[in-house]
């Protein structure tokens, strides 16, 4: 009998070691591994970008059980793995995960209430930007939302990856006047400002689709006159997710600060789409591009006064595209050999005899220049 038990132990022990030890994992646990590679770097940058995560656990029928909060630097293994099995019994679970859930955001049920154990379904979850009006001018940090994850816990080692998508954008917008000779001044309140108008309120369901279709206008949280002679205004704005399906309802607007008079506007998604390329120059699907990119640098080149801009794109001046790429690694930004638009290198537009009128000549987006024509307000 002793010999039989000894032989059984010799067989079982190696099997347990194989089942419960994998790489650095020393227990039979469920691990969540957070991934953020849905970016323009096409690499996982979760460890360097996300500082905190909140995991919401729902049962097999989809009803809320409990949540777990973790500071990535101190509470996660390798800054990206969370152990969950200490709270689990054998069974099926649905998980929703949020990264960067700060005071600017809310994760609630569809009625803005707290999750109720056994009552709230994960399909009723809502992730939203907190704002009391339809005008937002506050700076907020980046926010990430994980795909809905279904796990089967069987009291053995399991590693479940949770991919994240970023829900937020930062815009740096510059208004540049071509051909100016004014002297540089220190930064002060600008005569111009910018608005980004969006068709939804920044509230998303468990499937990351918009839940509230209400227009929200984002205003700069930072706005000054530039310190360079040709810069009329510099601004920074933060927005929520951009949606290709609603493209016709996004607007970038230039206004005067003293009267709020709109001087120029353009469809924002149409502009951003011009730069929808991977680092290797191949095109990206528009929604994927809008989700991967988050830092937008937009320069608007304009003229005021009596300058008469020259011709726009045509057979000898084609629009940018795969066969006519704008600045990039192989197509450098404007310089002595590639000058910006100006009196000697004018962009398109009609005659502008009225000094109160405003003509946008070109837009530069993340290094790509789009020539405009017949744009005057």
């Amino acid at each position: 009998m002793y010999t039989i038990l000894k032989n059984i132990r010799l067989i079982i022990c190696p099997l347990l070691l194989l089942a419960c030890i994998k790489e650095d994992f020393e227990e039979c646990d469920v691990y969540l591994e957070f991934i953020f590679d849905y970016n323009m770097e096409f690499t996982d940058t979760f460890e360097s970008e996300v500082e905190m995560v909140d995991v919401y656990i729902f049962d097999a029928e989809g009803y809320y059980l409990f949540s777990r909060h973790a500071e990535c630097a101190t509470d996660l293994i390798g800054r990206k793995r969370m152990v969950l099995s200490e709270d689990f019994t054998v069974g099926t679970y649905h998980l929703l995960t949020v990264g960067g859930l700060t005071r600017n955001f809310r994760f609630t049920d569809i009625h803005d209430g707290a999750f109720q154990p056994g009552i709230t379904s994960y399909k009723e979850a809502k992730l939203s930007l907190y704002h009391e009006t339809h005008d937002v001018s506050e700076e907020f940090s980046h926010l990430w939302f994980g795909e809905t994850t279904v796990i089967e816990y069987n009291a053995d080692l399991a590693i479940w990856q949770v991919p994240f998508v970023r829900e937020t954008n930062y815009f740096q917008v510059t208004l540049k006047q071509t051909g100016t000779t004014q002297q540089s001044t220190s930064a002060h309140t600008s005569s111009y400002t910018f608005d980004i108008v969006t068709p939804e309120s920044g509230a998303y369901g468990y499937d990351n689709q918009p839940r509230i279709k209400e227009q929200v206008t984002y205003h700069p949280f930072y706005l000054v006159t530039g310190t360079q002679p040709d810069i009329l205004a510099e601004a920074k704005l933060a927005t929520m997710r951009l949606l290709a399906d609603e493209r016709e309802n996004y607007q970038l607007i230039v206004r005067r600060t003293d009267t709020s008079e709109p001087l120029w506007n353009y469809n924002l998604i149409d502009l951003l789409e011009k730069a929808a390329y991977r680092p290797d120059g191949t095109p990206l699907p528009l929604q994927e591009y809008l989700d991967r990119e988050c830092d937008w640098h937009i320069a608007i080149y304009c003229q005021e006064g009596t300058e008469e801009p020259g011709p726009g794109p045509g057979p000898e001046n084609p629009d940018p595209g795969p066969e006519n790429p704008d600045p990039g690694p192989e197509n450098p930004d404007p310089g002595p050999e590639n000058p910006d638009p100006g009196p000697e290198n004018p962009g398109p537009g009609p005659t502008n005899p009225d000094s109160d009128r405003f003509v946008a000549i070109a837009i530069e987006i993340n290094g790509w220049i789009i020539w405009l024509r017949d744009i005057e307000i």
Side-chain angles (χ1 to χ4, degrees), residues 349-365:
T351 302
N352 184 28
D354 187 344
S355 62
D356 289 334
R357 305 179 84 180
F358 177 100
V359 178
I361 298 173
I363 308 291
E364 183 177 350
I365 301 174

Side-chain angles (χ1 to χ4, degrees), residues 33-37 39 42-48 80:
E33 183 174 69
F34 305 114
I35 306 293
F36 176 58
D37 58 6
N39 49 46
F42 291 82
T43 58
D44 183 10
T45 59
F46 178 88
E47 297 170 57
S48 61
K80 65 180 303 161

Side-chain angles (χ1 to χ4, degrees), residues 56-59 61-67 96 107-126:
Y56 297 80
I57 296 94
F58 301 78
D59 64 19
E61 285 71 42
Y63 293 103
Y64 178 65
L65 294 173
F66 59 91
S67 65
L96 295 178
F107 195 48
T108 64
D109 66 14
I110 56 175
H111 303 295
D112 297 322
F115 292 165
Q116 299 298 317
I119 298 175
T120 306
S121 167
Y122 76 91
K123 293 185 177 181
E124 297 176 298
K126 182 177 71 174

Side-chain angles (χ1 to χ4, degrees), residues 24-43:
D24 296 328
F25 303 99
E26 299 179 353
E27 302 177 19
C28 293
D29 278 328
V30 171
Y31 292 85
L32 297 182
E33 183 174 69
F34 305 114
I35 306 293
F36 176 58
D37 58 6
Y38 208 63
N39 49 46
M40 289 303 291
E41 291 78 22
F42 291 82
T43 58

Side-chain angles (χ1 to χ4, degrees), residues 176-177 179-185 225-232:
K176 293 186 176 183
Q177 184 174 9
T180 183
T181 58
Q182 72 180 63
Q183 297 298 312
S184 174
T185 60
T225 295
T227 57
Q228 299 299 316
D230 61 336
I231 297 180
L232 300 175

Side-chain angles (χ1 to χ4, degrees), residues 173-177 192 194 230-233 254 300 302 358:
V173 186
T174 304
L175 184 62
K176 293 186 176 183
Q177 184 174 9
Y192 301 90
F194 310 91
D230 61 336
I231 297 180
L232 300 175
V254 180
I300 303 172
C302 72
F358 177 100

Side-chain angles (χ1 to χ4, degrees), residues 160-371:
W160 300 86
Q161 290 191 340
V162 180
F164 276 99
V165 174
R166 186 160 26 207
E167 303 293 295
T168 45
N169 294 275
Y170 288 156
F171 285 84
Q172 182 170 327
V173 186
T174 304
L175 184 62
K176 293 186 176 183
Q177 184 174 9
T178 61
T180 183
T181 58
Q182 72 180 63
Q183 297 298 312
S184 174
T185 60
S186 59
H188 60 278
T189 303
S190 171
S191 299
Y192 301 90
T193 188
F194 310 91
D195 294 336
I196 292 177
V197 180
T198 68
E200 51 87 22
S201 70
Y204 311 97
Y206 76 99
D207 54 359
N208 208 15
Q209 293 303 304
R211 283 294 180 265
I212 303 176
K213 296 293 186 70
E214 294 178 348
Q215 180 175 292
V216 170
T217 301
Y218 296 92
H219 307 284
F221 61 81
Y222 172 87
L223 177 67
V224 296
T225 295
T227 57
Q228 299 299 316
D230 61 336
I231 297 180
L232 300 175
E234 292 179 301
K236 297 178 182 179
L237 304 88
T239 76
M240 294 298 285
R241 197 169 174 230
L242 305 173
L243 302 171
D245 289 345
E246 299 283 344
R247 62 182 301 160
E248 68 275 7
N249 297 315
Y250 287 88
Q251 294 291 320
L252 173 61
I253 302 174
V254 180
R255 298 181 187 274
R256 294 196 185 278
T257 54
D258 55 352
T259 64
S260 296
E261 174 192 359
L263 299 173
W264 178 86
N265 71 82
Y266 206 94
N267 183 285
L268 177 65
I269 305 300
D270 286 353
L271 289 175
L272 301 183
E273 185 178 22
K274 305 294 186 181
Y277 293 91
R278 294 181 178 88
D280 63 4
T282 56
L284 270 172
L286 180 56
Q287 187 58 61
E288 179 179 346
Y289 176 60
L290 296 176
D291 285 335
R292 284 185 177 273
E293 185 59 88
C294 70
D295 292 313
W296 305 94
H297 298 267
I298 300 178
I300 303 172
Y301 295 90
C302 72
Q303 285 185 350
E304 291 182 307
T306 58
E307 298 289 346
E308 182 177 352
E316 299 179 0
N317 302 283
D319 277 318
E323 298 179 359
N324 304 283
D326 273 321
E330 299 178 0
N331 305 280
D333 281 325
E337 298 179 1
N338 304 282
D340 271 332
E344 298 179 2
N345 304 281
T351 302
N352 184 28
D354 187 344
S355 62
D356 289 334
R357 305 179 84 180
F358 177 100
V359 178
I361 298 173
I363 308 291
E364 183 177 350
I365 301 174
N366 290 4
W368 293 73
I369 291 183
I370 298 97
W371 292 98

Side-chain angles (χ1 to χ4, degrees), residues 139-156:
E139 180 181 10
F140 44 83
S141 59
H142 277 307
L143 178 72
W144 293 263
F145 198 20
E147 293 182 6
T148 303
T149 306
V150 181
I151 67 173
E152 299 284 347
Y153 178 52
N154 297 310
D156 56 2

